[in-house]
Amino acid sequence: MKALEKFSLKDKVAFVTGGARGIGKAVATGFAQAGANIVIADLDEAEAIKTAKELETNEGIKTLVCKTDVTSVESVNALIKAIDEKFGRLDVAFCNAGICLNVAAKDMTFEQWYKVINVNLNGVFLTAQAAGKYMIEKGIKGSIINTASMSAHIVNVPQPQCAYNASKAGVIQLTKSLAIEWAEYGVRVNCISPGYIGTELVKSSKTLIPLIDKWNAMAPMHRLGDPEELQTVTLYLASEASSFTTGSDVIVDGAFTCF
Ligand code: NDP
């Protein structure tokens, strides 16, 4: 097979949590452009339906929308059941849904701490576990990609976000653990660590908007990343192109964490 052909996802099935918008939507679009049928799994069902329609119209692939809460075992099990019923296979899982709360550690309630850890770490575990189990049972040599963050590597300033940083560091170690457990089944598990990306998570937060200029001043490339700039690295990880890559964390941050 020629090198470029290894990036094809033709006739594969991929689910994307948090796929209705932001990074999830951009990555789902990249997968669709490589030929995959796409399952959008998101809390925001209305936005998920809009995104799925766009993908069907623009990329000519099949889609499925599942209103999914990644923190609920029942909801994640229902997602896998729906995928099995519609497609009978799952090749790629992008466990990406995440939230951020900017609260100082001394003021943080346990509920706030738990909410972030629950979506960002427990949610990634539940969705990756369900995907891995399904792939192993079906004998599918699939690829699981989790979304960590540069916040797993550095403490971002000036905004306080200890729960977010801790949750994302957990995602990297979880990724490596699953990669080792599932290597014998041919299921690969990797994660990405994006720098600041211009999505609603950043652009619709009253706390974060005033900080964008400060971050850009600190950033070697002096700008936010664009969600589309994560399409090709995830396509690499999702496809045969990365057949010997597992347990890796790929930092895509315009060198933000280099100093
Ligand atoms: P967005 O907030 O733009 O999109 C996240 C999507 O996830 C939303 O549609 C949201 O739905 C959904 N979601 C939230 N909670 C759940 C849940 N419990 N179950 C299912 N879906 C849920 O975020 P981004 O696209 O910016 O971020 C995606 C991932 O990338 C996150 O893990 C984030 O931490 C990470 N990341 C983001 C960076 C950035 O700068 N933007 C940098 C590094 C990492 P709803 O709107 O209903 O809440």
Side-chain angles (χ1 to χ4, degrees), residues 11 13 27-28 35 39 57 69 72-73 80-81 103 135 144 153 159 163 183 185 200 213 221 228 235 237 240 246:
D11 299 327
V13 175
V27 168
V39 182
T57 308
D69 179 353
S72 154
V73 176
I80 299 294
K81 188 164 178 276
V103 183
M135 289 169 182
I144 296 170
H153 299 267
Q159 72 279 14
Y185 303 107
E200 284 86 343
D213 286 346
M221 293 180 80
E228 275 76 31
L235 186 53
L237 293 173
E240 271 303 293
T246 193

Side-chain angles (χ1 to χ4, degrees), residues 31-256:
F31 289 168
Q33 287 171 354
N37 296 314
I38 301 293
V39 182
I40 305 283
D42 203 292
L43 269 184
D44 187 340
E45 194 176 21
E47 200 61 26
I49 290 171
K50 263 171 56 188
T51 297
K53 283 203 176 122
E54 265 180 52
L55 294 182
E56 285 192 4
T57 308
N58 298 342
E59 315 305 339
I61 49 100
K62 294 193 192 86
T63 65
L64 172 67
V65 171
C66 285
K67 181 172 179 172
T68 306
D69 179 353
V70 297
T71 67
S72 154
V73 176
E74 293 73 31
S75 184
V76 171
N77 286 344
L79 167 68
I80 299 294
K81 188 164 178 276
I83 294 171
D84 188 48
E85 281 169 7
K86 172 140 186 180
F87 295 112
R89 62 180 301 114
L90 174 68
D91 303 279
V92 178
F94 185 40
C95 307
N96 163 73
I99 57 169
C100 186
L101 290 182
N102 296 109
V103 183
K106 69 178 174 45
D107 303 322
M108 185 174 281
T109 63
F110 178 67
E111 286 69 28
Q112 289 171 322
W113 166 269
Y114 186 76
K115 188 174 178 188
V116 174
I117 299 291
N118 204 24
V119 177
N120 294 8
L121 184 55
N122 297 348
V124 168
F125 173 70
L126 288 180
T127 44
Q129 183 198 37
K133 228 174 125 181
Y134 182 83
M135 289 169 182
I136 291 165
E137 279 166 14
K138 288 254 174 185
I140 296 169
K141 297 191 184 326
S143 167
I144 296 170
I145 306 158
N146 301 324
T147 303
S149 169
M150 70 169 168
S151 310
H153 299 267
I154 57 163
V155 174
N156 299 93
V157 289
Q159 72 279 14
Q161 50 180 51
C162 68
Y164 185 83
N165 300 342
S167 71
K168 295 298 187 177
V171 168
I172 295 182
Q173 197 63 347
L174 172 64
T175 299
K176 292 181 181 184
S177 307
L178 298 180
I180 287 186
E181 288 197 32
W182 295 343
E184 66 179 290
Y185 303 107
V187 174
R188 296 180 299 104
V189 191
N190 294 287
C191 59
I192 56 167
S193 281
Y196 292 117
I197 306 291
T199 66
E200 284 86 343
L201 184 135
V202 169
K203 289 185 166 171
S204 66
S205 159
K206 284 194 186 121
T207 328
L208 300 183
I209 291 167
L211 299 179
I212 293 176
D213 286 346
K214 283 190 184 151
W215 298 336
N216 287 345
M218 292 157 73
M221 293 180 80
H222 300 302
R223 66 173 177 88
L224 301 178
D226 189 87
E228 275 76 31
E229 292 180 285
L230 298 170
Q231 284 174 328
T232 40
V233 68
T234 45
L235 186 53
Y236 165 72
L237 293 173
S239 66
E240 271 303 293
S242 61
S243 53
F244 195 52
T245 303
T246 193
S248 295
D249 170 52
V250 185
I251 301 177
V252 186
D253 70 345
F256 201 99

